[in-house]
Amino acid sequence: MDTAPSPDDARALLDWYAAMGVDAALEDVGQDRFAESAARLRPSPAAEPLPAQPAARAPASAAALAAAPDETAAAARQAAASAATLDDLRAILERFEGCALKATASRTVFADGAPGARLMLVGEAPGREEDLSGLPFVGRSGQLLDRMLAAIGLERSEVYIANVIPWRPPGNRTPTPQETETCLPFIRRQIELAQPDVLVALGGSAAQSLFRAKDGILKLRGKWLDYDAGGRSIRAMATLHPAYLLRSPGQKKFAWRDLKAIRRVLDGA
């Protein structure tokens, strides 16, 4: 005999759905797809033909699915280049329909902290907490990032934080190469407009995207690079992502070395 699930069982099921990235219900009423299939197979009685109905209007984000990768990347470059200020860039991103991720995200996660700060940090993409809040690095990894900054005498309000991808991928999956290439012009323009003295890529994905690097993060981290920000060369480095450090706390010693090196450059040493 079937019984209703207990409150604890229901709560555990909801927690599992959230962990799998399911955070929205698509329909309030269930659909019997088997009955629908059977109905389509039954012959229908003769009837006068119905007047033609206008085709359903496709959502604006469908353009992102239909356009060729080269077209969307070119549109992104043109849109990003037209931004004269960070506020312009944010508004352009809110209007941009060339990336399918925007259709599944709750909101655009643009940045947090102080525009014009000397230190800019860039991660890969927002997670669930960031998608809900509209701010980057606010979950567990963000809390660790705050402690990492505090260890070298910095508050979140004193740095500028963004992501390569401004929209959360469904289920926190890895962004596709096309999604990354579409979003790259925007983060590059964001770096140019923010004009930091030091740029830090958090994690291998962000470093490979920004620096066009091939190596993994354990080989990339801790090495100073020159990053071209619109004709202005700035010091840049990759370090370990806070989420990786939560999974591998034994690697924190390497992140600490990177943080001390960043502090020395900020101090002019």
Side-chain angles (χ1 to χ4, degrees):
M1 182 176 180
D2 294 337
T3 59
S6 68
D8 289 340
D9 289 341
R11 188 176 300 108
L13 180 61
L14 288 173
D15 290 342
W16 183 84
Y17 281 146
M20 294 299 101
V22 179
D23 50 21
L26 297 182
E27 295 183 0
D28 294 331
V29 180
Q31 301 293 321
D32 188 343
R33 301 303 182 191
F34 294 102
E36 292 175 2
S37 297
R40 285 195 295 269
L41 293 174
R42 288 195 296 268
S44 57
E48 291 295 325
L50 295 174
Q53 298 295 322
R57 182 177 177 182
S61 59
L65 302 176
D70 289 346
E71 293 175 355
T72 56
R77 288 192 295 270
Q78 183 177 5
S82 68
T85 66
L86 288 169
D87 287 339
D88 287 347
L89 187 63
R90 180 193 290 267
I92 289 168
L93 270 173
E94 295 289 1
R95 296 192 301 269
F96 186 71
E97 298 293 342
C99 182
L101 289 177
K102 186 177 181 182
T104 58
S106 297
R107 67 200 73 208
T108 300
V109 180
F110 185 69
D112 192 20
R118 296 189 61 210
L119 175 61
M120 181 172 180
L121 308 169
V122 179
E124 181 185 34
R128 182 175 184 273
E129 292 84 356
E130 290 76 17
D131 181 59
L132 294 174
S133 69
L135 297 173
F137 286 92
V138 296
R140 289 184 63 218
S141 61
Q143 294 166 15
L144 177 55
L145 178 61
D146 290 348
R147 294 196 295 272
M148 292 166 65
L149 291 171
I152 57 171
L154 292 172
E155 299 288 336
R156 172 182 282 256
S157 59
E158 298 176 293
V159 303
Y160 190 58
I161 308 173
N163 281 307
V164 173
I165 310 287
W167 301 291
R168 179 201 179 194
N172 293 350
R173 65 163 172 76
T174 301
T176 67
Q178 179 179 346
E179 290 163 352
T180 300
E181 287 302 311
T182 298
C183 294
L184 261 177
F186 296 108
I187 187 60
R188 291 191 184 281
R189 186 59 177 155
Q190 195 169 355
I191 295 168
E192 292 172 4
L193 294 171
Q195 297 188 341
D197 294 328
V198 177
L199 173 67
V200 175
L202 297 171
S205 296
Q208 290 166 357
S209 298
L210 290 176
F211 307 148
R212 295 300 190 188
K214 301 296 184 183
D215 292 331
I217 187 60
L218 294 180
K219 286 188 177 181
L220 287 174
R221 58 143 295 273
K223 300 176 182 177
W224 285 110
L225 306 168
D226 291 323
Y227 180 86
D228 183 5
R232 176 175 175 261
S233 181
I234 60 178
R235 303 293 301 278
M237 177 192 287
T239 192
L240 303 174
H241 195 287
Y244 173 77
L245 297 175
L246 289 172
R247 299 191 301 269
S248 306
Q251 303 294 322
K252 289 182 179 180
K253 60 185 177 183
F254 298 114
W256 176 234
R257 292 176 190 172
D258 298 342
L259 289 169
K260 290 192 292 184
I262 292 165
R263 180 74 264 183
R264 286 194 295 270
V265 169
L266 290 173
D267 290 339

